[in-house]
mmCIF file of all heavy atoms in Angstrom:
data_model
loop_
_atom_site.group_PDB
_atom_site.id
_atom_site.type_symbol
_atom_site.label_atom_id
_atom_site.label_comp_id
_atom_site.label_asym_id
_atom_site.label_seq_id
_atom_site.Cartn_x
_atom_site.Cartn_y
_atom_site.Cartn_z
ATOM 1 N N ILE A 164 -7.851 147.900 -11.088
ATOM 2 C CA ILE A 164 -6.618 147.140 -10.840
ATOM 3 C C ILE A 164 -6.878 145.644 -11.003
ATOM 4 O O ILE A 164 -6.058 144.914 -11.571
ATOM 5 C CB ILE A 164 -6.061 147.456 -9.434
ATOM 6 C CG1 ILE A 164 -5.526 148.887 -9.401
ATOM 7 C CG2 ILE A 164 -4.953 146.467 -9.056
ATOM 8 C CD1 ILE A 164 -5.035 149.332 -8.033
ATOM 9 N N GLN A 165 -8.031 145.191 -10.512
ATOM 10 C CA GLN A 165 -8.397 143.782 -10.683
ATOM 11 C C GLN A 165 -8.562 143.438 -12.164
ATOM 12 O O GLN A 165 -8.113 142.377 -12.625
ATOM 13 C CB GLN A 165 -9.688 143.474 -9.932
ATOM 14 C CG GLN A 165 -10.095 141.994 -10.012
ATOM 15 C CD GLN A 165 -11.360 141.702 -9.225
ATOM 16 O OE1 GLN A 165 -12.131 142.599 -8.917
ATOM 17 N NE2 GLN A 165 -11.581 140.445 -8.899
ATOM 18 N N ALA A 166 -9.180 144.354 -12.914
ATOM 19 C CA ALA A 166 -9.341 144.131 -14.353
ATOM 20 C C ALA A 166 -7.974 144.078 -15.040
ATOM 21 O O ALA A 166 -7.779 143.307 -15.989
ATOM 22 C CB ALA A 166 -10.190 145.251 -14.956
ATOM 23 N N ALA A 167 -7.023 144.891 -14.569
ATOM 24 C CA ALA A 167 -5.674 144.878 -15.131
ATOM 25 C C ALA A 167 -4.992 143.536 -14.851
ATOM 26 O O ALA A 167 -4.237 143.021 -15.688
ATOM 27 C CB ALA A 167 -4.842 146.015 -14.543
ATOM 28 N N GLY A 168 -5.273 142.967 -13.670
ATOM 29 C CA GLY A 168 -4.741 141.640 -13.361
ATOM 30 C C GLY A 168 -5.297 140.580 -14.292
ATOM 31 O O GLY A 168 -4.571 139.689 -14.756
ATOM 32 N N ASP A 169 -6.577 140.696 -14.614
ATOM 33 C CA ASP A 169 -7.203 139.764 -15.559
ATOM 34 C C ASP A 169 -6.581 139.924 -16.949
ATOM 35 O O ASP A 169 -6.403 138.942 -17.685
ATOM 36 C CB ASP A 169 -8.706 140.009 -15.638
ATOM 37 C CG ASP A 169 -9.428 139.630 -14.346
ATOM 38 O OD1 ASP A 169 -8.852 138.853 -13.557
ATOM 39 O OD2 ASP A 169 -10.555 140.127 -14.131
ATOM 40 N N PHE A 170 -6.248 141.174 -17.307
ATOM 41 C CA PHE A 170 -5.568 141.429 -18.584
ATOM 42 C C PHE A 170 -4.246 140.667 -18.624
ATOM 43 O O PHE A 170 -3.933 139.987 -19.616
ATOM 44 C CB PHE A 170 -5.298 142.925 -18.765
ATOM 45 C CG PHE A 170 -4.304 143.240 -19.852
ATOM 46 C CD1 PHE A 170 -4.723 143.467 -21.156
ATOM 47 C CD2 PHE A 170 -2.944 143.293 -19.572
ATOM 48 C CE1 PHE A 170 -3.797 143.734 -22.164
ATOM 49 C CE2 PHE A 170 -2.014 143.566 -20.569
ATOM 50 C CZ PHE A 170 -2.446 143.790 -21.864
ATOM 51 N N SER A 171 -3.460 140.771 -17.554
ATOM 52 C CA SER A 171 -2.139 140.125 -17.505
ATOM 53 C C SER A 171 -2.257 138.616 -17.609
ATOM 54 O O SER A 171 -1.475 137.969 -18.323
ATOM 55 C CB SER A 171 -1.415 140.516 -16.209
ATOM 56 O OG SER A 171 -1.196 141.906 -16.151
ATOM 57 N N ARG A 172 -3.236 138.058 -16.909
ATOM 58 C CA ARG A 172 -3.421 136.606 -16.975
ATOM 59 C C ARG A 172 -3.855 136.171 -18.374
ATOM 60 O O ARG A 172 -3.406 135.139 -18.888
ATOM 61 C CB ARG A 172 -4.439 136.167 -15.923
ATOM 62 C CG ARG A 172 -3.896 136.172 -14.505
ATOM 63 C CD ARG A 172 -4.901 135.619 -13.512
ATOM 64 N NE ARG A 172 -5.973 136.573 -13.258
ATOM 65 C CZ ARG A 172 -5.904 137.534 -12.346
ATOM 66 N NH1 ARG A 172 -4.812 137.690 -11.621
ATOM 67 N NH2 ARG A 172 -6.922 138.353 -12.151
ATOM 68 N N GLY A 173 -4.721 136.944 -18.990
ATOM 69 C CA GLY A 173 -5.168 136.614 -20.342
ATOM 70 C C GLY A 173 -4.035 136.704 -21.346
ATOM 71 O O GLY A 173 -3.877 135.831 -22.215
ATOM 72 N N ALA A 174 -3.212 137.760 -21.234
ATOM 73 C CA ALA A 174 -2.077 137.923 -22.149
ATOM 74 C C ALA A 174 -1.072 136.800 -21.964
ATOM 75 O O ALA A 174 -0.502 136.289 -22.940
ATOM 76 C CB ALA A 174 -1.420 139.286 -21.911
ATOM 77 N N ALA A 175 -0.861 136.380 -20.718
ATOM 78 C CA ALA A 175 0.093 135.302 -20.437
ATOM 79 C C ALA A 175 -0.393 133.969 -20.991
ATOM 80 O O ALA A 175 0.421 133.088 -21.313
ATOM 81 C CB ALA A 175 0.316 135.184 -18.930
ATOM 82 N N SER A 176 -1.717 133.816 -21.121
ATOM 83 C CA SER A 176 -2.272 132.561 -21.634
ATOM 84 C C SER A 176 -2.323 132.525 -23.164
ATOM 85 O O SER A 176 -2.770 131.539 -23.744
ATOM 86 C CB SER A 176 -3.678 132.336 -21.066
ATOM 87 O OG SER A 176 -4.601 133.271 -21.615
ATOM 88 N N GLY A 177 -1.882 133.629 -23.803
ATOM 89 C CA GLY A 177 -1.816 133.647 -25.259
ATOM 90 C C GLY A 177 -2.937 134.395 -25.953
ATOM 91 O O GLY A 177 -3.004 134.411 -27.189
ATOM 92 N N MET A 178 -3.827 135.039 -25.193
ATOM 93 C CA MET A 178 -4.903 135.812 -25.812
ATOM 94 C C MET A 178 -4.348 137.100 -26.411
ATOM 95 O O MET A 178 -3.262 137.560 -26.042
ATOM 96 C CB MET A 178 -5.982 136.135 -24.768
ATOM 97 C CG MET A 178 -6.666 134.897 -24.194
ATOM 98 S SD MET A 178 -7.871 135.286 -22.893
ATOM 99 C CE MET A 178 -9.142 136.107 -23.858
ATOM 100 N N ASN A 179 -5.083 137.673 -27.363
ATOM 101 C CA ASN A 179 -4.649 138.888 -28.065
ATOM 102 C C ASN A 179 -4.580 140.070 -27.103
ATOM 103 O O ASN A 179 -5.616 140.530 -26.607
ATOM 104 C CB ASN A 179 -5.643 139.190 -29.200
ATOM 105 C CG ASN A 179 -5.179 140.350 -30.067
ATOM 106 O OD1 ASN A 179 -4.557 141.283 -29.593
ATOM 107 N ND2 ASN A 179 -5.490 140.281 -31.346
ATOM 108 N N PRO A 180 -3.363 140.627 -26.825
ATOM 109 C CA PRO A 180 -3.227 141.727 -25.858
ATOM 110 C C PRO A 180 -4.006 142.980 -26.258
ATOM 111 O O PRO A 180 -4.562 143.664 -25.399
ATOM 112 C CB PRO A 180 -1.712 141.996 -25.845
ATOM 113 C CG PRO A 180 -1.095 140.721 -26.301
ATOM 114 C CD PRO A 180 -2.060 140.166 -27.313
ATOM 115 N N ALA A 181 -4.054 143.284 -27.565
ATOM 116 C CA ALA A 181 -4.772 144.476 -28.017
ATOM 117 C C ALA A 181 -6.263 144.354 -27.728
ATOM 118 O O ALA A 181 -6.906 145.305 -27.265
ATOM 119 C CB ALA A 181 -4.530 144.701 -29.509
ATOM 120 N N ALA A 182 -6.827 143.187 -27.994
ATOM 121 C CA ALA A 182 -8.245 142.955 -27.721
ATOM 122 C C ALA A 182 -8.514 142.979 -26.221
ATOM 123 O O ALA A 182 -9.537 143.513 -25.762
ATOM 124 C CB ALA A 182 -8.688 141.616 -28.306
ATOM 125 N N LEU A 183 -7.587 142.425 -25.443
ATOM 126 C CA LEU A 183 -7.723 142.441 -23.983
ATOM 127 C C LEU A 183 -7.685 143.864 -23.439
ATOM 128 O O LEU A 183 -8.403 144.201 -22.497
ATOM 129 C CB LEU A 183 -6.610 141.606 -23.345
ATOM 130 C CG LEU A 183 -6.713 140.084 -23.504
ATOM 131 C CD1 LEU A 183 -5.426 139.429 -23.036
ATOM 132 C CD2 LEU A 183 -7.903 139.548 -22.722
ATOM 133 N N LEU A 184 -6.833 144.702 -24.044
ATOM 134 C CA LEU A 184 -6.737 146.101 -23.602
ATOM 135 C C LEU A 184 -8.030 146.847 -23.890
ATOM 136 O O LEU A 184 -8.524 147.620 -23.050
ATOM 137 C CB LEU A 184 -5.561 146.786 -24.298
ATOM 138 C CG LEU A 184 -5.333 148.264 -23.959
ATOM 139 C CD1 LEU A 184 -5.206 148.473 -22.452
ATOM 140 C CD2 LEU A 184 -4.086 148.774 -24.678
ATOM 141 N N ASP A 185 -8.612 146.620 -25.064
ATOM 142 C CA ASP A 185 -9.902 147.241 -25.398
ATOM 143 C C ASP A 185 -10.972 146.803 -24.392
ATOM 144 O O ASP A 185 -11.780 147.616 -23.924
ATOM 145 C CB ASP A 185 -10.333 146.851 -26.811
ATOM 146 C CG ASP A 185 -9.470 147.504 -27.890
ATOM 147 O OD1 ASP A 185 -8.765 148.481 -27.571
ATOM 148 O OD2 ASP A 185 -9.502 147.029 -29.039
ATOM 149 N N ALA A 186 -10.965 145.517 -24.056
ATOM 150 C CA ALA A 186 -11.938 144.991 -23.097
ATOM 151 C C ALA A 186 -11.722 145.604 -21.717
ATOM 152 O O ALA A 186 -12.691 145.896 -20.992
ATOM 153 C CB ALA A 186 -11.826 143.468 -23.026
ATOM 154 N N LEU A 187 -10.461 145.807 -21.354
ATOM 155 C CA LEU A 187 -10.138 146.418 -20.065
ATOM 156 C C LEU A 187 -10.701 147.838 -19.979
ATOM 157 O O LEU A 187 -11.270 148.231 -18.951
ATOM 158 C CB LEU A 187 -8.619 146.442 -19.867
ATOM 159 C CG LEU A 187 -8.071 147.287 -18.709
ATOM 160 C CD1 LEU A 187 -8.630 146.810 -17.378
ATOM 161 C CD2 LEU A 187 -6.541 147.245 -18.694
#
Side-chain angles (χ1 to χ4, degrees):
I164 290 176
Q165 183 178 19
D169 292 340
F170 165 91
S171 298
R172 285 185 286 274
S176 70
M178 297 177 69
N179 186 326
L183 288 170
L184 179 54
D185 290 343
L187 168 59

